Amino acid sequence: MDAAISELQKPFLDESQIASSRTIMGLDTQLINDGTYFIVEADGEIAGCGGWSRRATLYGGDLSPGRSAALLDPEKDAARIRAMYTHPHYTRKGVGRLVLSLCEDAARAEGFRKVEMMATMAGEPLYRACGYETHERLVDDRGGAPVPLLRMGKPL
Ligand SMILES: CC(C)(COP(=O)(O)OP(=O)(O)OC[C@H]1O[C@@H](n2cnc3c(N)ncnc32)[C@H](O)[C@@H]1OP(=O)(O)O)[C@@H](O)C(=O)NCCC(=O)NCCS
């Protein structure tokens, strides 16, 4: 995660924005406790990770303020896609696409009919390639420098 945040955002953000993004990225351990987080291994190394959630928090790690563990209603709410990271040694090999499809299948199996996430600029090309559309553009400056984000989603 650290390597992905530091290296893979460089084409999209400046150094102060990458530093700022650490406040709003990283792992929310609730995902691990819920059993909704995936790791992809290649040759015994972690190539990537990512998960989904049936809880209200849209984005953020353990250090991010304002998270909510409230359960979503599959009838009307969108399941969340959370904390997608590919190690820089394994990019553009389909790891992100694989994790996303595992998350979508799991959310669908629990009855959700749509999925949503807060995308970074680095994540946008993956999500767009996988059929997600932008619902809202915003900026999060809780970490200092303003970090552009996109709320994206798609029907399942
Ligand atoms: C976003 C991220 C997880 C993508 O991981 P990945 O494993 O390289 O993605 P995939 O190999 O599955 O890519 C699938 C498709 O998405 C698109 N895509 C992914 N990364 C892209 C990039 N940097 N530029 C352009 N298109 C990209 C392509 O269409 C790609 O298919 P192709 O390689 O056949 O052209 C990775 O770049 C990352 O960790 N970024 C930093 C952390 C981050 O911002 N995470 C998102 C949080 S919302």
Side-chain angles (χ1 to χ4, degrees), residues 86-146:
T86 296
H87 190 283
H89 292 167
Y90 293 95
T91 51
R92 304 302 289 269
K93 294 178 187 293
V95 172
R97 199 189 281 275
L98 170 63
V99 171
L100 209 44
S101 72
L102 291 169
C103 292
E104 291 169 2
D105 289 349
R108 195 183 292 112
E110 270 198 28
F112 284 93
R113 294 174 191 155
K114 50 188 177 176
V115 275
E116 196 174 55
M117 89 269 292
M118 191 64 84
T120 58
M121 294 298 115
E124 181 189 10
L126 165 66
Y127 304 134
R128 205 162 292 288
C130 293
Y132 286 73
E133 290 186 350
T134 303
H135 295 163
E136 185 185 0
R137 290 175 185 274
L138 63 145
V139 166
D140 191 326
D141 61 3
R142 288 177 294 171

Side-chain angles (χ1 to χ4, degrees), residues 18-40:
I18 292 175
S20 172
S21 75
R22 291 185 177 283
T23 307
I24 53 171
M25 296 181 75
L27 180 61
D28 179 346
T29 43
Q30 177 86 63
L31 301 173
I32 295 176
N33 294 338
D34 281 345
T36 56
Y37 204 66
F38 298 100
I39 297 246
V40 175

